[in-house]
Amino acid sequence: QSALTQPASVSGSPGQSITISCTGTRSDVGDYDHVSWYQQHPGKAPKLIIFDITKRPSGVSNRFSASKSGDTASLTISGLQAEDEGDYYCSAYTSSRPFHVLFGGGTNLAVL
Amino acid sequence: EVQLVESGGTLVQPGGSLRLSCSASGFSFGSYAMNWVRQTPRRGLEWVSSLSSSGGSTYYAESVKGRFTISRDNAKNTLYLQMTSLRAEDTALYYCAKDLAELWPEGSFHVWGQGTMVTVSS
């Protein structure tokens, strides 16, 4: 099954806001609330920053917010900071088979 | 502190077998669903397998079904991934990840280990 679709790269200046999209189908992103987002810095393990479409784990900055419309989920980072540079991945549970998780291809964020 | 430490990754020949382990600490291991996720530079993150807190329910990606077996020993706070019939395309950094959910996996990977590298090559 195809991965979820994310833009390969996005960029922004410090203080700006950016949005990363994650497009799936009605069998995954569009069907369930279990959409998550991960941040990964070079050489580090991914870090969960959003779960269940909009929720932030304890300790994650409120500069990270997310939403979903139809088959597309979105992650918004406001007040960009240099430390936000890295790769961002979305994931979603899919109903097309017994428990199965899809990841997006990842988006590299550059803070210029 | 919640911690996951993977081990067992190494160089193995195509067709070979390998068992990965993930030692957990800092949380009630037996209460949470657990997962394996792998990563390559080319393919990015790929979900591999999940299992329920009891270990009674297991789930696999199509690419590894029939070749990989996920299991856990709750008395030892350890998660395993038995890998057989390994292929070049299984080459990846393998992460152990604690699910956000108790009992049944929900696909939100809350805590990750540092990963263990598996290389399948002759």
Side-chain angles (χ1 to χ4, degrees):
Chain A
Q1 186 164 355
S2 300
L4 308 176
T5 301
Q6 298 180 232
S9 62
V10 298
S11 62
S13 300
Q16 286 187 332
S17 296
I18 63 94
T19 296
I20 299 171
S21 62
C22 170
T23 302
T25 70
R26 63 181 177 180
S27 295
D28 39 70
V29 174
D31 197 12
Y32 287 91
D33 290 343
H34 295 309
V35 177
S36 301
W37 289 90
Y38 301 87
Q39 176 193 60
Q40 186 177 35
H41 291 130
K44 301 292 187 182
K47 173 188 176 183
L48 179 67
I49 56 174
I50 295 287
F51 67 98
D52 289 354
I53 302 177
T54 61
K55 300 175 182 177
R56 286 188 307 275
S58 174
V60 173
S61 171
N62 59 9
R63 297 186 299 104
F64 295 94
S65 62
S67 62
K68 188 184 84 167
S69 178
D71 300 339
T72 298
S74 299
L75 172 71
T76 297
I77 308 174
S78 58
L80 271 178
Q81 299 179 0
E83 67 201 49
D84 298 331
E85 273 204 348
D87 295 324
Y88 291 81
Y89 294 89
C90 62
S91 74
Y93 171 92
T94 176
S95 62
S96 63
R97 63 193 70 188
F99 182 81
H100 192 100
V101 178
L102 296 175
F103 278 98
T107 299
N108 180 257
L109 168 61
V111 180
L112 305 174
Chain B
E1 179 193 4
V2 176
Q3 194 170 16
L4 299 171
V5 179
E6 302 95 336
S7 61
T10 189
L11 172 65
V12 61
Q13 291 191 338
S17 298
L18 200 59
R19 188 177 82 159
L20 305 183
S21 299
C22 171
S23 179
S25 60
F27 66 101
S28 180
F29 178 75
S31 297
Y32 286 87
M34 294 294 294
N35 311 271
W36 288 99
V37 177
R38 65 187 181 185
Q39 184 172 29
T40 64
R42 184 166 175 264
R43 299 196 307 266
L45 293 171
E46 179 185 14
W47 171 74
V48 174
S49 182
S50 300
L51 84 167
S52 60
S53 60
S54 68
S57 296
T58 58
Y59 309 92
Y60 299 95
E62 287 297 322
S63 58
V64 306
K65 192 176 292 184
R67 300 186 300 121
F68 290 11
T69 302
I70 190 172
S71 63
R72 64 193 299 162
D73 184 334
N74 287 343
K76 295 182 178 180
N77 290 347
T78 303
L79 176 72
Y80 302 101
L81 185 68
Q82 179 69 47
M83 311 163 69
T84 64
S85 302
L86 283 161
R87 307 166 180 167
E89 54 265 35
D90 295 319
T91 294
L93 183 63
Y94 283 74
Y95 290 105
C96 160
K98 169 186 171 290
D99 208 280
L100 194 63
E102 297 184 11
L103 301 181
W104 307 103
E106 289 187 354
S108 292
F109 308 120
H110 188 204
V111 178
W112 299 62
Q114 84 289 350
T116 187
M117 187 67 202
V118 173
T119 303
V120 183
S121 176
S122 54

